[in-house]
Structure formats: C-alpha cells, structure tokens
Amino acid sequence: MRRPGGWWRTKSTPEKVETYTRWSFHFFGVIEVFALGVSAYGRTGAGLATLLCLLVTAHAAVCMLVSSRALDWTRGRRPQPVRLMWTLAVVSAVVSITAVVIAERGPAGEVETAAGSVYGGVLCFAAGIITLGVSGRRRMVAVVGGFAVGAGLLTFPLEMPVLASVVLAGLVMLTGGFLAVTSIFSLWLLNAVYALDDARETRARLAVAEERLRFGRDLHDVMGRNLAVIALKSELAVQLSRRGRPEAVEQMIEVQRIAQESQREVRDVVRGYREAALEVELAGARGVLTAAGITAKVTGETAGLPAEVQSALGWVVREATTNVLRHGDAKKVAVTVRMSGGRVVLTVENDGVAETTGSGPSADATRTTGSGGSGGSGLTGLRERLSAVDGTLEAGPAGRGVFRLTAAVPLPDATAGAALEVAS
C-alpha cells in the first residue's frame, strides 16, 4: 500500500513543478472567493452578501478551469481554449454589471462594497487568468488594457466622477497586470524546467551515441585492414590452387593465422569496451551528477586494486548513477570506497528514493546478498558481475527517503595484506 505522499515522491522534478504551478493558479480562485465573496458578509446584509458570494464563486470556478486548460495548451496537450476565455470574459462582464445594478438599486451605503470590491476584483482576476491563454506581449497587454478600459466605462451608470473612474481603471490595469506577469513568469519557469530535463536526457543519449561511435571506430580499425588482407590472400590462394602451385597452402595458412588474430583483437576491443575502471567511473559519476544539479561526494582510495575488482565495482558505480538520474529525485549522493576485513566495500547512498508499489525499477532493488538471478540488466546484471569475483550486493532503503547500495568484493591475499599495511 502506498504511504501518504507517495504520489508526490513518484513524480519527476518537472512534474512536481507543473503540479505546483497548476495548484497555484487554482489558489488564485480560492483567494478571489475569500477576498471578494466571503468578505462581503462583514460589509453588507446576509442576503446581498450571499448573492455576491455566489457570483464570485462561479467566476472563480471559471477562472480555475481556464487556467488549467491554458496550462495544458502551453504544454502542447490541448488546443488553445479560445471559447473558455471568451466565456470567462462574458462571465466577468455579467458579474461586474450585476454588481453595478446592486450598487444602484440596493440600500444606501452599500455602493462602495458592491462596486469597489466585486466589481473591480473580478475584472483584475479575469485579466490575469486570460493572459495565460494568449501568446505575445502585445496580446497580453491588449487583454489587460481592455479590461481596464471596460472597468472605466462601466462606471458611468454609477455617475462616478471622471477622476474616480480613471483611478479605478488604473487599479485594474496595475492589479491585472501584476497577476498577468506573475502567471506568465510561472509558465516560463515551468517550460524552462521541462527544457532542462529534455536537455539532460539529450545529453545522456549523445553520450551513448558517442560511445557507440568510438566502439565502431575501434572495431573498424581492427577489422578493416585484416579483412582486406584476408580477401587478397584468399584470392591469391585461389589463383595458385588453380595453377597447381604448392604455395596456395602457405597462403591459406596465413589466412587462418590472420583470422585467428582478428578474433583475438576483436575480443580485446570488446573487453576494453565492457570493462569499467573504478577511478574513471567515480570521476564520471561526480561530473554527471554535478551537471544534473545533484551534490556528489566521493571518498576513498582506489589505487592498487586489481583490474577485475576495479571493473566490477566500476560497473556498480555506473549502474547506481544511472538509477539515481532515472528513477529518483535525489539532491545528495555519497559514494564511499573503503577496505574492511580483506574486502573492498563500495557504498552509494542517495536521498531520492521513490515510493513503489511492488513493481518498477525500484522494486528490483530489494535487499539481496550474493549473486542470484539469471541474466537480465540493472541490479541483476551487477550481481552476475560481482559473482565472477566472489562479490556480494545489498540494495534497499536505509532510513526515511534514503536508498543505499553496497557492493563488497574480497581482495586477493597479497593485495589484502598490502592494504592492511597501508591502513596501519
């Protein structure tokens, strides 16, 4: 069963920012209801206050709907909500005109309450929300300016002084403009977060593509010359064989030798491609995590470790770094290499563990010791690599919001003795 708050922890950073932005816009509607509708109960009678509160609540609900659809439009998920924006403009006009009518025909002394709060407030909120659904500075300025002009024109039935009408229009312009700028900045920040996340994924794909190109170049350099020599010597052997020359056997022996040499060189290339040096992987993990905005701390010495031990632990560092970037939302990662009881112990901790329901990448990180598993990737592949050097792997939660991966590999007697001497 997922614990409370698990839905939030399973979200990626851009999804969290989007959720925060969306509910911030909805909170504008809540503010409108309390600031304009509920507050009317302290300024006028219960009947008039209830009517005003219902009008403001309906207007706030339409504002919430428009802001949500406009946010989806900016992310490319929905078409531009043109009809909803016009609906909000009409609802704003209806609420404002109703406030004017109440102010004219209502009891004396309630003009300021109806016209000053509800009348100007709904126009300010509507101007700020509608700008979410338009593109371009001129259109945004036109929306805010249009609401400000409308606020000034609608005051003429109240027979307000011209200066008061101008002041009211200016207040709508300033307040609506402030809400519009705040909303647009929130959308810009959200799009920037998504762009940064896409850039990080693109950089990871480019790194993989670059490694594939390097492997292809190495393989071409090894096989290109050898295959050309094999083709030439095979053709020469065919010609000599047709002429009955005994040198054809020598040429085919040479072809066999070159083919065997090519096999050895290909194995060397693949082995070098698949092996991972621990020191190199630690440096690479620090650089990638830092570039992703994660604080990485690496401690311990790797000098003097056998090549097979470095290769196995290097793959652990590589897989752990990949899991942190893909499956969690870590802010800090600590990597420690230490000698303990004739073993090299590598520990990777991060504070970005995600809630799981029994499936998914993190569910594979159940605490396990030894090799186990038969094929596969991820932690199963790491256990296979560690089993080749008699190593063990433990992975699982290590406290609230902390995930720990520990790999231990025994050292040969000579290396263990030297390490103990250095430690002493």
Side-chain angles (χ1 to χ4, degrees):
M1 182 177 179
R2 183 176 296 181
R3 293 185 296 177
W7 68 275
W8 175 262
R9 295 183 180 180
T10 55
K11 290 179 177 291
S12 64
T13 298
E15 290 173 345
K16 289 180 179 179
V17 176
E18 180 178 350
T19 302
Y20 170 79
T21 304
R22 189 181 299 274
W23 283 101
S24 297
F25 293 149
H26 292 340
F27 190 65
F28 283 168
V30 177
I31 294 176
E32 180 181 359
V33 171
F34 279 91
L36 305 180
V38 177
S39 64
Y41 283 96
R43 302 178 181 178
T44 184
L48 182 59
T50 301
L51 177 59
L52 292 175
C53 188
L54 291 176
L55 290 173
V56 172
T57 301
H59 183 268
V62 178
C63 287
M64 292 181 182
L65 181 59
V66 172
S67 64
S68 181
R69 296 295 177 85
L71 180 59
D72 291 335
W73 169 66
T74 59
R75 296 304 310 154
R77 301 174 188 145
R78 291 178 181 269
Q80 187 178 16
V82 178
R83 293 183 179 179
L84 277 177
M85 291 189 295
W86 279 110
T87 301
L88 177 57
V90 172
V91 171
S92 301
V94 170
V95 174
S96 298
I97 293 174
T98 303
V100 171
V101 173
I102 293 175
E104 282 186 332
R105 301 183 179 181
E110 297 181 356
V111 176
E112 293 79 4
T113 301
S117 299
V118 177
Y119 172 77
V122 295
L123 295 178
C124 293
F125 280 101
I129 294 299
I130 290 180
T131 53
L132 293 173
V134 298
S135 59
R137 295 182 181 178
R138 294 183 178 179
R139 294 181 180 178
M140 296 175 185
V141 173
V143 169
V144 177
F147 274 92
V149 172
L153 294 178
L154 288 177
T155 58
F156 284 102
L158 295 175
E159 298 180 355
M160 293 179 61
V162 177
L163 180 60
S165 300
V166 173
V167 171
L168 180 60
L171 289 175
V172 173
M173 173 72 78
L174 292 177
T175 307
F178 174 77
L179 292 176
V181 171
T182 302
S183 302
I184 296 303
F185 179 77
S186 298
L187 288 182
W188 174 84
L189 182 62
L190 175 62
N191 292 329
V193 171
Y194 269 105
L196 289 175
D197 188 68
D198 293 340
R200 184 175 65 178
E201 293 182 0
T202 302
R203 181 174 55 190
R205 289 194 296 267
L206 289 176
V208 173
E210 183 179 356
E211 184 65 12
R212 288 175 178 174
L213 289 175
R214 185 196 67 80
F215 179 72
R217 288 193 301 266
D218 293 346
L219 193 61
H220 176 269
D221 293 341
V222 170
M223 294 300 296
R225 177 183 59 83
N226 291 349
L227 289 176
V229 174
I230 289 175
L232 290 175
K233 286 187 173 295
S234 298
E235 183 179 358
L236 178 60
V238 170
Q239 297 296 332
L240 293 175
S241 178
R242 288 177 178 176
R243 298 175 185 177
R245 300 282 296 275
E247 291 86 349
V249 177
E250 296 178 0
Q251 295 297 326
M252 291 308 300
I253 293 175
E254 182 67 12
V255 168
Q256 183 182 18
R257 185 192 65 78
I258 296 175
Q260 293 174 348
E261 181 69 16
S262 298
Q263 289 179 338
R264 184 189 63 78
E265 292 180 352
V266 169
R267 283 195 296 268
D268 291 340
V269 171
V270 175
R271 186 179 299 111
Y273 175 72
R274 299 182 64 182
E275 288 182 352
L278 180 57
E279 185 175 357
V280 174
E281 291 299 327
L282 289 174
R286 184 190 293 110
V288 171
L289 293 173
T290 302
I294 301 174
T295 303
K297 181 180 180 181
V298 179
T299 58
E301 294 293 334
T302 61
L305 296 179
E308 60 273 12
V309 174
Q310 291 207 34
S311 178
L313 295 180
W315 275 101
V316 174
V317 174
R318 181 181 297 183
E319 182 66 23
T321 303
T322 302
N323 287 338
V324 169
L325 294 175
R326 290 182 178 178
H327 307 314
D329 189 20
K331 301 297 184 297
K332 296 180 181 179
V333 176
V335 183
T336 305
V337 182
R338 58 186 176 87
M339 307 292 179
S340 176
R343 300 184 306 166
V344 183
V345 181
L346 172 69
T347 304
V348 182
E349 287 188 0
N350 71 86
D351 60 354
V353 63
E355 296 293 329
T356 61
T357 56
S359 61
S362 298
D364 186 39
T366 308
R367 188 179 186 275
T368 307
T369 304
S371 58
S374 59
S377 58
L379 297 181
T380 302
L382 291 182
R383 296 185 186 105
E384 292 180 351
R385 292 180 182 276
L386 291 172
S387 66
V389 290
D390 298 327
T392 59
L393 180 69
E394 296 179 0
R400 185 174 181 180
V402 178
F403 187 86
R404 178 185 297 162
L405 187 147
T406 303
V409 178
L411 289 171
D413 295 339
T415 307
L420 290 177
E421 291 179 2
V422 173
S424 61

